[in-house]
């Protein structure tokens, strides 16, 4: 569809307008003293997508309808957004009960942002905006900076009819006091992308790569995709790359790929899925010589005792030992080994006490884990916890002040 913009000023409250496509409501706007409620209909679902925000008499309202995203602006400030799939039912025409709404074609802006778009202090307990939340975090250390890619969340995983519609946002720090906000790393740009799942970052031959899976909904396979950058701040999707898991795995639940450059000269990719025939969750293990062509090793690096899928896998080399990290039911745990990809042992206390699904990176002489504290379900604010290792390699978690 061509992008459209609906615009009007609120002259009174209550305010109501509706447009129909046949027997179905295509756009319904209801404004009361509780705020604005804007419902947009699509042919793919019986229920509309809903945008909400606070509004008052005299405010200007804009509703932008694009094929992959819809946005609600109050006084030119973005207050809510959603991500559709299917065809929007709205067509340019009049609204029953109100003739003050202007509908016109809209051209999205595509200007490239600076590498730093904002700064702030202290990321413990931080979220980007009042109604924008921090989901799964993916830390990565590069050139003396601790970077965090995180799932930008609206509506606590209920966006896009409950499919999440997560995207990757990006912040970094040199001292854990002052933080820089960077441009969005991976956005939803196509309606078929139901969510950009958790993944990982790797540098190779001067190019920065982000690996992730794309949830497509239902039983459709979630392919492994990637984005690339030459400066570590502006990433573009690599549309020439992608692969799906073999049918021995539950391909629809594939997610959270962790990519590692091994000492054997191969690239290793570990990701969450399940063995289709056995019905057991696992961390599948793939290898590649060039990061383009991937082969299943045929031996998952971890297999659950039941259907529980080990989520958000991480892999850390620290003080000569190897650490495999994953979450069960949102709670992270780790295993350790003296060899890179086998012989994993469970420590006496395997839990990682850093809220939900933390992942980590080596920072100086410690591992600093980053996770999120959820509220009302999935996602809310960012949190940290650092750890060192004892003589046996088991992690010892430090006071929160030790992160700085």
């Amino acid at each position: 569809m061509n992008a459209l913009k609906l615009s009007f000023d609120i002259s009174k409250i209550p305010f109501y307008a509706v447009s129909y496509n046949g027997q179905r409501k295509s756009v319904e706007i209801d404004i009361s003293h509780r705020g604005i409620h804007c419902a947009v209909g699509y042919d793919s679902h019986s229920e509309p997508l809903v945008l909400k925000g606070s509004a008052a008499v005299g405010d200007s309202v804009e509703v932008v309808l694009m094929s992959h995203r819809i946005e609600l602006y109050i006084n030119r400030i973005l207050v809510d957004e959603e991500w559709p799939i299917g065809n929007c039912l709205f067509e340019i025409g009049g609204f029953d009960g109100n003739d003050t709404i202007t509908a016109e074609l809209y051209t999205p802006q595509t200007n490239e942002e600076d590498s730093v778009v904002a700064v702030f202090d202290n990321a413990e307990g931080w979220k980007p905006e009042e109604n924008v939340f921090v989901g799964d975090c993916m830390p990565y250390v590069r050139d003396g900076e601790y970077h965090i890619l995180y799932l930008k969340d609206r509506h606590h995983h209920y966006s896009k009819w409950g499919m999440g519609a997560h995207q990757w946002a990006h912040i970094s720090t040199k001292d854990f006091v002052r933080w820089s906000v960077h441009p969005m790393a991976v956005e939803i740009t196509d309606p078929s992308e139901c969510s950009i799942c958790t993944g990982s970052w790797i540098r190779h031959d001067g190019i920065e790569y982000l690996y992730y899976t794309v949830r497509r909904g239902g039983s459709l396979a979630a392919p492994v995709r990637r984005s690339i950058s030459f400066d570590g701040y502006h990433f573009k999707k690599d549309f020439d790359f992608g692969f799906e898991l073999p049918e021995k795995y539950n391909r629809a639940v594939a997610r959270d790929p962790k990519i590692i450059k091994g000492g054997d000269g191969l690239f290793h990719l570990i990701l969450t899925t399940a063995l289709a025939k056995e019905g057991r969750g696992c961390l599948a293990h793939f290898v590649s010589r060039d990061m383009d062509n991937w082969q299943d090793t045929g031996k998952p690096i971890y297999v659950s005792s039941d259907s529980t899928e080990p989520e958000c896998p991480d892999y850390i080399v620290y003080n000569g030992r190897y650490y495999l990290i994953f979450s069960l039911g949102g709670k992270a745990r780790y295993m350790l080994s003296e060899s890179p990809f086998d012989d994993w042992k469970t420590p006496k206390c395997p839990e990682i006490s850093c809220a939900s699904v933390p992942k980590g990176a080596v920072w100086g002489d410690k591992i600093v884990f980053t996770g999120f504290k959820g509220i009302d379900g999935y996602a809310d604010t960012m949190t940290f916890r650092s750890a060192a290792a004892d003589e046996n390699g088991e992690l010892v978690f430090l006071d929160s002040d030790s992160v700085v």
Side-chain angles (χ1 to χ4, degrees):
M1 63 171 273
N2 292 322
L4 301 174
K5 183 175 72 172
L6 313 179
S7 56
F8 62 97
D9 294 329
I10 302 174
S11 59
K12 63 179 181 178
I13 291 178
F15 177 103
Y16 182 78
V18 62
S19 178
Y20 285 89
N21 186 327
Q23 299 298 312
R24 291 189 61 184
K25 295 176 181 178
S26 59
V27 173
E28 183 180 31
I29 301 172
D30 188 1
I31 305 176
S32 68
H33 292 290
R34 295 189 299 272
I36 182 170
H37 181 283
C38 177
V40 183
Y42 288 84
D43 63 3
S44 59
H45 288 75
S46 59
E47 295 297 319
L49 290 177
V50 175
L51 302 171
K52 297 180 180 180
S54 299
V57 172
D59 287 347
S60 65
V61 177
E62 294 176 322
V63 180
V64 175
L65 306 176
M66 295 175 281
S67 62
H68 64 288
R69 185 172 69 246
I70 61 176
E71 303 167 332
L72 172 63
Y73 292 85
I74 305 294
N75 299 324
R76 303 201 173 189
I77 297 174
L78 178 66
V79 298
D80 202 3
E81 55 191 334
E82 262 286 5
W83 294 266
I85 188 170
N87 297 307
C88 182
L89 298 178
F90 179 78
E91 298 175 349
I92 291 181
F95 278 81
D96 292 348
N98 197 297
D99 60 0
T100 63
I101 299 175
T102 299
E104 58 187 329
L105 294 176
Y106 173 78
T107 301
Q109 296 180 354
T110 58
N111 296 331
E112 184 173 278
E113 296 180 290
D114 293 337
S115 60
V116 176
V117 298
V119 295
F120 68 96
D121 291 333
N122 187 17
E124 177 65 43
W126 173 83
K127 59 183 179 181
E129 298 175 37
E130 180 181 355
N131 293 313
V132 180
F133 310 104
V134 174
D136 300 7
C137 296
M138 299 156 274
Y140 179 75
V141 171
R142 182 180 78 109
D143 300 337
E145 289 188 306
Y146 189 95
H147 292 257
I148 302 172
L149 297 160
Y150 66 91
L151 297 189
K152 179 183 177 182
D153 174 87
R154 281 192 186 264
H155 313 128
H156 300 292
H157 212 299
Y158 286 102
S159 293
K160 200 158 187 168
W161 296 283
M163 290 182 284
H166 292 124
Q167 307 175 97
W168 285 24
H170 181 193
I171 62 175
S172 70
T173 185
K174 295 180 179 179
D175 57 12
F176 283 84
V177 176
R178 192 70 162 169
W179 290 80
S180 297
V181 180
H182 306 294
M184 291 290 293
V186 188
E187 295 185 278
I188 289 175
T189 55
D190 187 277
S192 67
E193 298 170 330
C194 296
S195 194
I196 308 297
C197 297
T198 307
S200 57
W201 182 343
I202 190 172
R203 175 192 284 178
H204 178 60
D205 286 346
I207 301 175
E208 313 289 344
Y209 294 86
L210 307 180
Y211 279 77
Y212 46 87
T213 59
V214 177
R215 182 179 294 125
R216 298 193 294 167
S219 61
L220 294 175
V224 178
R225 303 288 192 197
R226 73 184 179 195
S227 294
I228 61 174
S229 172
F230 296 97
D231 66 359
Y233 301 107
H234 301 92
F235 289 87
K236 302 293 184 183
K237 291 177 179 176
D238 181 359
F239 293 107
D240 294 327
F241 172 82
F243 72 94
E244 297 176 358
L245 272 59
E247 292 185 354
K248 63 182 283 188
Y249 299 109
N250 182 340
R251 302 190 296 172
V253 302
R255 60 193 186 277
D256 312 340
K258 173 66 179 181
I259 185 169
I260 308 125
K261 177 65 179 294
D264 56 3
L266 297 176
F267 295 94
H268 295 254
L269 189 145
I270 302 166
L271 79 167
T272 300
T273 183
L275 294 167
K277 183 177 180 180
E278 296 85 346
R280 297 166 67 184
C282 72
L283 296 176
H285 184 188
F286 290 74
V287 294
S288 173
R289 295 188 180 278
D290 56 12
M291 297 203 303
D292 293 325
N293 303 287
W294 292 88
Q295 300 295 323
D296 181 17
T297 64
K299 183 181 178 182
I301 201 165
Y302 175 85
V303 179
S304 297
S305 59
D306 54 24
S307 61
T308 304
E309 295 157 8
E311 297 183 291
C312 298
D314 206 358
Y315 179 97
I316 297 174
V317 182
Y318 178 59
N319 288 351
R321 292 185 173 91
Y322 303 90
Y323 294 81
L324 177 66
I325 298 152
F326 53 88
S327 293
L328 300 173
K331 301 300 181 183
R333 54 193 296 118
Y334 76 97
M335 304 174 76
L336 69 159
S337 178
E338 303 287 339
S339 58
F341 296 103
D342 53 21
D343 243 357
W344 299 104
K345 297 178 176 59
T346 302
K348 294 177 183 177
C349 299
E351 293 80 16
I352 296 174
S353 55
C354 183
S356 294
V357 292
K359 302 181 77 169
V362 176
W363 180 254
D365 60 351
K366 298 170 292 199
I367 300 174
V368 177
F369 291 96
T370 308
F372 72 86
K373 293 180 179 178
I375 187 172
D376 295 332
Y378 179 82
D380 190 29
T381 61
M382 190 172 289
T383 190
F384 302 88
R385 192 72 186 273
S386 61
D390 64 17
E391 64 275 8
N392 298 314
E394 299 197 12
L395 296 182
V396 179
F397 288 90
L398 310 174
D399 294 337
S400 58
D401 291 342
S402 68
V403 173
V404 179

